[in-house]
Amino acid sequence: EVHLVESGGGLVKPGGSLRLACAASGFSFDNAWMTWVRQAPGKGLEWVGRIKGNSDGGTTDYAAPVKGRFTISKDDSRNTLYLQMNSLETEDTAVYFCSKYDWNDGEHYYFQSWGQGTLVTVSS
Amino acid sequence: DVQMTQSPSSLSASVGDRVTITCRASRSVSNYLNWYQQKPGKAPELLIYAASILTSGVPSRFSGSGSGTDFSLTISSLQPEDFATYYCQQSFTTPAFGQGTRLEIK
């Protein structure tokens, strides 16, 4: 069974940094595509970025609002996904979820497994 | 980027009602469209993928249809546990979610 557990959220001042972690188990982590999705209080879901599995190059992609400020990485030895957030803005306040790409027939992807989320509050 | 627009943003209905939520893409996404249900304080749950394929364990009262730019999620007979917020998400390119449809009890 896939299990994802986020940690690292908290209160940070504007301009500050924070690193979130997502501990994964129950699947082959090194070749999995992983993603971060956030949800501001009372708002909808927003894709943050992803990292491809090692067999697909391990490259990253980011949404425009976080590009250049956020970095996704992973430690395969620890089965852990990370989100390094720098130059944080009040608009980054949200619950951050990690999830795993799953595919049907190798073409259609979807997010079937999610962590419980971790709250990041950016405020002075 | 492909933008997703859902309608309505909120909807009031009664147990037993049939409801339909629509989702429109800013350009064609073929059938690369997923639907999620989210309850307060919880992570989203996948209901439907590839526009019409029901995830294992999801009740058959849920159904999805559409292709290209126009999609719909239908609940044939609302149950108390269905009152939640629903999101569409295109998987044709980098992911994008609709803004959500909040389904409330009338």
Side-chain angles (χ1 to χ4, degrees), chain B residues 37-61:
Chain B
Q37 177 193 69
Q38 188 182 32
K39 296 183 178 178
K42 300 292 187 182
E45 293 188 3
L46 178 70
L47 295 175
I48 287 169
Y49 60 93
S52 62
I53 300 176
L54 208 62
T55 300
S56 176
V58 173
S60 59
R61 62 181 180 272

Side-chain angles (χ1 to χ4, degrees), chain B:
Chain B
D1 292 359
V2 180
Q3 272 77 51
M4 309 302 292
T5 304
Q6 289 180 231
S7 61
S9 296
S10 64
L11 174 59
S12 294
S14 301
V15 173
D17 284 354
R18 178 185 179 93
V19 299
T20 296
I21 297 167
T22 64
C23 177
R24 175 163 289 177
S26 58
R27 62 177 173 95
S28 176
V29 296
S30 184
N31 68 336
Y32 290 73
L33 193 284
N34 306 322
W35 289 98
Y36 300 83
Q37 177 193 69
Q38 188 182 32
K39 296 183 178 178
K42 300 292 187 182
E45 293 188 3
L46 178 70
L47 295 175
I48 287 169
Y49 60 93
S52 62
I53 300 176
L54 208 62
T55 300
S56 176
V58 173
S60 59
R61 62 181 180 272
F62 290 90
S63 65
S65 65
S67 67
T69 60
D70 294 307
F71 302 87
S72 63
L73 171 70
T74 297
I75 310 172
S76 60
S77 179
L78 275 172
Q79 298 302 301
E81 59 269 28
D82 299 337
F83 292 94
T85 301
Y86 293 85
Y87 294 92
C88 62
Q89 175 243 321
Q90 63 85 8
S91 60
F92 189 70
T93 62
T94 52
F97 292 89
Q99 81 278 15
T101 295
R102 184 174 178 181
L103 180 52
E104 300 174 318
I105 300 175
K106 184 183 285 184

Side-chain angles (χ1 to χ4, degrees), chain A residues 7 15 30 50 53 57 68 71 73 78 86 93 100 124:
Chain A
S7 61
D30 53 350
R50 71 169 175 215
T71 301
S73 64
R78 296 177 183 269
N86 298 330
T93 294
K100 169 183 173 295
S124 55

Side-chain angles (χ1 to χ4, degrees), chain A residues 87-100:
Chain A
S87 303
L88 281 161
E89 305 168 351
T90 55
E91 294 77 14
D92 296 317
T93 294
V95 173
Y96 285 73
F97 297 99
C98 66
S99 183
K100 169 183 173 295

